[in-house]
Amino acid sequence: MAVSGLIMLGYLVAHVMGNLKVFFGPGEFNAYGHWLRTMGDPVLHYSWALWLVRIVLLAAVAAHAVSAYQLSRRDIKARPTAYVHRRRGASYATRTMRWGGIILALFIVWHILDLTTGTVHTGGFEEGKPYQNVVDTFSTWYGNVIYIVAMLAVGLHVRHGFWSAAQTLGVGSARRDRALKLIANGLALVLTVGFISVPVAVMTGVVS
Amino acid sequence: MKLNLRVWRQKNADAPGDMATYEVDGISSDMSFLEMLDTLNEELILRGEDPVAFDHDCREGICGACSLVINGDAHGPERTTTCQLHMRSFQDGDTIDVEPWRAAAFPVVKDLVVDRSAFDRIIQAGGYISAPTGSAPEAHATPVPKADADFAFEHAECIGCGACVAACPNGSAMLFTSAKINHLNVLPQGAPERETRVLDMVATMDEEGFGGCTLTGECATACPKGIPLPSIAAMNKEWLRATRKSRR
């Protein structure tokens, strides 16, 4: 869970930085999209680097999902009887890890079908024109709702996930606890605000 | 004080159980929670009913025998053991739910008594040091840095009551196991078995059917001895170190 989660987290940080290029206009954003395919040139063939990233990510998603399934099954088996007197325990981010993860998995499917393959895209998907595609998606009410809800889920997931990964890998300690929680909350906030700024910008007309 | 108790009653390990309601009167706020249950049991015996079975021993908060989930909290609302919980923590007329530890690895024996021998088997797997018997060695012969001694003592405080498992939504024994491993692994006396200890104890913990850790932190909140949550990270660090070393 920890290693695959950190791989995906590293990708998200790169992803949000790329997304923010949308604020520099269609020229720069589309050029950035093109660079993602020529990355590693001339050593690598066109879009090989991108496919390499995709393969690593796919492996990380699969490993994360499989270990989440195994862990959940084991945990449910270890506590077969619930307490009669129920009590709200851990934080919201902690309690929503499982459902949050499922929501994120479904979101990723939609997100790829919408902006990578264009299968469920509305407004005429055009490959190589990511700026226009992004504006199209966030011009629909459901595109905004799905995206913003998913990004809030990302924030919650990262908030508990990053700190937990540090514990799993044995990096956590009483002395480092405050710093680790601060980094986890900081990452969650930066990712959520960074990602949500794009649909908000389209809605308010800053990006059009 | 007059209280309404809802207590888990279960005849034996195989019988189905349910919550039974009792009214107890004449409870002093200075009584411990166990003394309140004693009062209830005296009444039940006089009425010719089966008294409520519960674990207890020292009643000083140091043996780890008492084990009740009170209103959904392991050891009740205060950060202490059930025997050191006093009735002044409750109000007159309160309804109090009393349940046994709930975990697949801690099956109910009767009423509020659970079988915690899974913890004994984890200890048997490595919760000891190999030392020659005989008279106690000179204490200064083995110097221990102050910080290490403090770390070891913090974890040695674990009394093995199982509140961590009871509080964990996953029925995980990570806090208990980590306390025992950290206590011995940081000291020179525990060094010869440092790697086998963590590998064997964690393997036994898994075999006993405890759940996995999702770091909800409920264990450390419930622990009457204040074993901190980062203990689990320290154990994971030891485990990763041991797996690296044993591969060599």
Side-chain angles (χ1 to χ4, degrees):
Chain A
M1 301 249 58
V3 175
S4 53
L6 288 177
I7 291 171
M8 290 189 276
L9 181 59
Y11 170 76
L12 280 186
V13 172
H15 192 350
V16 77
M17 289 196 291
N19 281 13
L20 294 178
K21 295 207 82 152
V22 82
F23 290 101
F24 298 112
E28 197 163 333
F29 191 67
N30 290 348
Y32 165 74
H34 184 69
W35 171 78
L36 287 177
R37 280 150 187 85
T38 56
M39 211 169 17
D41 185 68
V43 178
L44 297 175
H45 187 66
Y46 180 79
S47 85
W48 274 17
L50 192 64
W51 273 106
L52 212 67
V53 171
R54 284 170 178 167
I55 290 164
V56 170
L57 278 176
L58 200 67
V61 169
H64 207 66
V66 168
S67 33
Y69 172 75
Q70 288 173 338
L71 182 63
S72 300
R73 248 184 72 124
R74 188 183 153 181
D75 290 351
I76 293 162
K77 221 175 105 187
R79 172 59 87 69
T81 321
Y83 289 109
V84 174
H85 191 110
R86 279 164 197 278
R87 185 183 63 86
R88 182 160 289 183
S91 73
Y92 189 73
T94 310
R95 281 184 284 120
T96 52
M97 285 307 271
R98 281 175 194 148
W99 277 110
I102 292 168
I103 289 171
L104 286 175
L106 293 174
F107 165 75
I108 292 167
V109 172
W110 173 80
H111 191 52
I112 290 172
L113 291 177
D114 179 37
L115 286 170
T116 306
T117 65
T119 319
V120 297
H121 192 76
T122 41
F125 181 79
E126 222 180 310
E127 207 166 330
K129 295 267 167 57
Y131 190 90
Q132 193 51 47
N133 295 335
V134 165
V135 172
D136 287 345
T137 290
F138 294 134
S139 300
T140 60
W141 67 268
Y142 58 86
N144 286 319
V145 170
I146 295 173
Y147 194 85
I148 290 172
V149 167
M151 290 312 108
L152 292 172
V154 163
L156 288 170
H157 209 74
V158 167
R159 184 192 154 118
H160 181 69
F162 176 81
W163 176 82
S164 295
Q167 311 302 312
T168 302
L169 298 175
V171 182
S173 71
R175 202 160 43 86
R176 293 201 200 114
D177 206 48
R178 263 178 72 109
L180 284 169
K181 281 199 170 122
L182 214 67
I183 298 171
N185 289 341
L187 271 170
L189 199 70
V190 167
L191 288 173
T192 308
V193 171
F195 280 124
I196 288 181
S197 69
V198 179
V200 169
V202 175
M203 278 191 274
T204 53
V206 178
V207 170
S208 59
Chain B
M1 290 170 83
K2 193 173 171 181
L3 298 163
N4 291 309
L5 290 176
R6 296 205 306 155
V7 183
W8 182 262
R9 300 303 308 263
Q10 184 173 338
K11 239 183 167 56
N12 56 55
D14 305 316
D18 61 353
M19 299 293 272
T21 310
Y22 300 102
E23 226 173 61
V24 270
D25 205 352
I27 299 298
S28 149
S29 60
D30 293 332
M31 279 182 177
S32 75
F33 200 86
L34 297 186
E35 285 168 333
M36 183 276 292
L37 287 179
D38 291 339
T39 311
L40 169 70
N41 276 346
E42 281 168 13
E43 279 176 31
L44 289 178
I45 291 166
L46 285 177
R47 292 209 306 248
E49 291 177 37
D50 196 20
V52 178
F54 60 90
D55 265 329
H56 62 101
D57 191 22
C58 75
R59 299 208 178 195
E60 292 180 354
I62 52 170
C63 76
C66 52
S67 59
L68 301 177
V69 171
I70 301 157
N71 285 341
D73 286 315
H75 291 303
E78 309 282 335
R79 196 191 184 94
T80 184
T81 53
T82 301
C83 61
Q84 292 295 302
L85 173 70
H86 291 91
M87 296 316 293
R88 64 182 82 99
S89 303
F90 300 91
Q91 303 285 324
D92 187 35
D94 272 0
T95 298
I96 305 174
D97 290 334
V98 190
E99 296 173 74
W101 280 178
R102 291 289 187 202
F106 287 167
V108 173
V109 176
K110 189 186 179 187
D111 296 340
L112 302 169
V113 179
V114 296
D115 178 3
R116 281 172 283 185
S117 54
F119 268 13
D120 299 337
R121 290 188 286 276
I122 294 176
I123 292 293
Q124 281 162 14
Y128 53 81
I129 60 160
S130 295
T133 52
S135 59
E138 160 63 34
H140 292 296
T142 318
V144 179
K146 173 77 168 120
D148 290 352
D150 286 347
F151 184 82
F153 195 80
E154 189 179 21
H155 291 100
E157 276 196 75
C158 170
I159 52 176
C161 63
C164 44
V165 177
C168 178
N170 310 323
S172 173
M174 292 281 274
L175 196 71
F176 165 77
T177 312
S178 70
K180 297 303 174 192
I181 288 167
N182 294 338
H183 161 209
L184 297 176
N185 269 22
V186 74
L187 294 172
Q189 289 87 346
E193 287 119 350
R194 186 173 170 185
E195 288 83 28
T196 52
R197 176 176 300 116
V198 61
L199 295 175
D200 293 347
M201 287 178 79
V202 169
T204 308
M205 175 184 82
D206 289 343
E207 281 164 20
E208 290 294 340
F210 290 105
C213 180
T214 56
L215 291 147
T216 65
E218 302 253 15
C219 52
T221 309
C223 179
K225 295 295 159 183
I227 305 295
L229 190 57
S231 304
I232 292 174
M235 173 174 75
N236 288 337
K237 192 176 171 185
E238 284 293 314
W239 190 87
L240 289 169
R241 179 184 170 278
T243 28
R244 273 199 310 272
K245 278 201 98 176
S246 66
R247 246 187 250 132
R248 235 182 261 160

